[in-house]
Amino acid sequence: MKNFLSVQDVPNLMVLVQEALLLKKDPFAESHLGRNKTLGLIFFNASLRTRLSTQKAAQNLGMQVMVMNVAQDGWALEMADGVVMDGDKVEHVKEAAAVIGQYCDLIGVRSFAGLTDRAADYGEEVIHKFVQHAGVPVLSLESATRHPLQSLADLVTMEELKPAAAGRADKVKVVLTWAPHPKALPQAVPNSFAEWMNRADGSLGPVEFVIAHPEGYQLAPEFVNGARVTHDQREAFEGADFIYTKNWSSYQHYGQVLSKDPAWTVDAEKMALTNHARFMHCLPVRRNVIVTDEVLDGPHSVVIRQAGNRVCAAQAVLKHMLLDLLYA
Ligand code: CP
């Protein structure tokens, strides 16, 4: 694995999930692998889980880690080519990425969608510029349209918790549901979750994947990719094994908040329709907006385990990137 930007970079999902679970059991089993290697973590946006879990994962592999909140501490970066830089942008990403590549063996980049220009966001300019100019492999810490480290941790969590009866014959029912939020949020987490779920057959077992959202919140077709879509949240919840909850802003009316309907908040009455489903969310989550306290604090909520699994997921990815660096 050279770069890690999406599920397309993963040669074998089942192998990666199993490796993450092995690293969870024995986090220091590969502590020699990252010796004398440096990971740079570059954040254009805020983070709690991604920053700390990726740092810990790298340290477990023996790597050194440098973290930079580039939006606050760095020079304002120009991304466009061929511009006259006589405005407020001080440094071009061509030099910035190349210089960071001089100090690091691997670079992680977090850069969210701006939510004003769909073509620009879905073109993934920032992370692609780093891939183009850094001269070293790049992993996504959440880009404009995807959050693959989160999705891998989600899949690891589901592998740990899938119903025992879900053998090779019974389908695991996974529901991705939209829930209300006061602000416009990117589509990166739901896009990525959908993309990984559509590849999860064979690792998780047979999967019935359903996406529930109000009218106007369809995800981009390349991410839905044949999953069943419904506007009836209750119908979707019936018999579900996992309820993955997330808000996102509209893709069609790009970046707009079309609904704040509290009828879409996940509550105990809706969870009772499921097959004792596990409640999942990537965090951070707004209590009693996205989900009620009762569900989030209840016995079926696995959000803390999910966040914990960010470490072994990142470690499995970094392990593969280091192996590629060392032996390719
Ligand atoms: N889930 C997630 O990526 O959390 P942070 O934004 O805190 O990193």
Side-chain angles (χ1 to χ4, degrees):
M1 198 187 306
K2 184 167 165 39
N3 298 307
F4 180 71
L5 308 181
S6 83
V7 73
Q8 314 302 337
D9 295 313
V10 180
N12 189 322
L13 218 54
M14 194 179 337
V15 168
L16 194 62
V17 169
Q18 292 305 326
E19 281 180 344
L21 288 167
L22 284 175
L23 287 164
K24 183 173 179 175
K25 271 198 201 124
D26 190 359
F28 304 110
E30 313 272 1
S31 60
H32 60 285
L33 208 57
R35 192 167 163 267
N36 296 335
K37 297 289 179 209
T38 300
L39 173 67
L41 298 176
I42 306 300
F43 287 89
F44 288 85
N45 306 95
S47 171
L48 187 160
R49 281 143 289 270
T50 305
R51 175 173 171 157
L52 296 180
S53 62
T54 312
Q55 198 164 344
K56 186 171 170 63
Q59 287 166 349
N60 287 352
L61 291 167
M63 299 186 81
Q64 295 169 17
V65 186
M66 297 194 294
V67 184
M68 185 167 185
N69 295 317
V70 74
Q72 286 135 38
D73 303 332
W75 302 110
L77 293 185
E78 177 60 63
M79 295 289 162
D81 292 328
V83 295
V84 178
M85 288 176 55
D86 59 355
D88 56 359
K89 304 286 174 62
V90 176
E91 179 160 28
H92 202 281
V93 68
K94 277 187 181 178
E95 288 78 53
V99 169
I100 295 167
Q102 296 290 304
Y103 308 146
C104 302
D105 300 285
L106 302 174
I107 299 176
V109 178
R110 166 166 282 201
S111 176
F112 288 173
L115 293 178
T116 53
D117 182 340
R118 188 169 87 179
D121 287 344
Y122 276 70
E124 292 283 13
E125 184 180 44
V126 176
I127 203 149
H128 286 155
K129 292 279 185 192
F130 271 84
V131 170
Q132 196 179 351
H133 299 298
V136 299
V138 173
L139 70 148
S140 169
L141 305 174
E142 185 173 342
S143 67
T145 66
R146 290 177 172 90
H147 195 355
L149 283 178
Q150 178 67 54
S151 304
L152 176 57
D154 298 337
L155 196 50
V156 169
T157 307
M158 294 162 82
E159 179 64 30
E160 288 181 314
L161 298 173
K162 67 186 179 189
R168 296 304 94 187
D170 299 319
K171 287 196 170 186
V172 178
K173 185 172 180 183
V174 180
V175 177
L176 166 62
T177 182
W178 182 94
H181 193 282
K183 293 189 171 170
L185 299 186
Q187 295 108 28
V189 170
N191 280 349
S192 214
F193 185 74
E195 190 171 53
W196 284 66
M197 277 306 107
N198 283 324
R199 280 266 314 265
D201 267 12
S203 57
L204 199 57
V207 174
E208 180 189 354
F209 180 46
V210 181
I211 306 175
H213 58 70
E215 302 262 7
Y217 279 96
Q218 302 89 297
L219 295 170
E222 64 267 31
F223 292 101
V224 177
N225 194 23
R228 185 165 76 80
V229 175
T230 177
H231 303 313
D232 184 341
Q233 194 186 36
R234 280 192 164 73
E235 176 267 315
F237 274 40
E238 282 169 16
D241 298 300
F242 293 97
I243 298 294
Y244 197 99
T245 307
K246 185 73 183 81
N247 172 269
W248 62 90
S249 60
S250 176
Y251 172 76
Q252 283 72 30
H253 304 279
Y254 193 62
Q256 290 183 31
V257 176
L258 306 177
S259 169
K260 297 179 187 173
D261 185 357
W264 280 80
T265 300
V266 175
D267 61 17
E269 182 255 320
K270 283 180 216 161
M271 289 298 288
L273 300 169
T274 70
N275 179 29
H276 307 288
R278 309 293 186 147
F279 174 83
M280 301 180 73
H281 190 283
C282 63
L283 304 181
V285 67
R286 289 186 183 237
R287 284 174 173 261
N288 304 309
V289 178
I290 294 274
V291 55
T292 61
D293 283 338
E294 189 181 3
V295 171
L296 194 58
D297 296 332
H300 295 291
S301 172
V302 297
V303 297
I304 303 303
R305 178 192 283 252
Q306 234 181 307
N309 283 338
R310 294 292 305 274
V311 177
C312 65
Q315 205 170 326
V317 169
L318 290 171
K319 174 187 161 180
H320 273 270
M321 293 180 80
L322 283 168
L323 285 172
D324 194 80
L325 207 62
L326 291 168
Y327 300 116

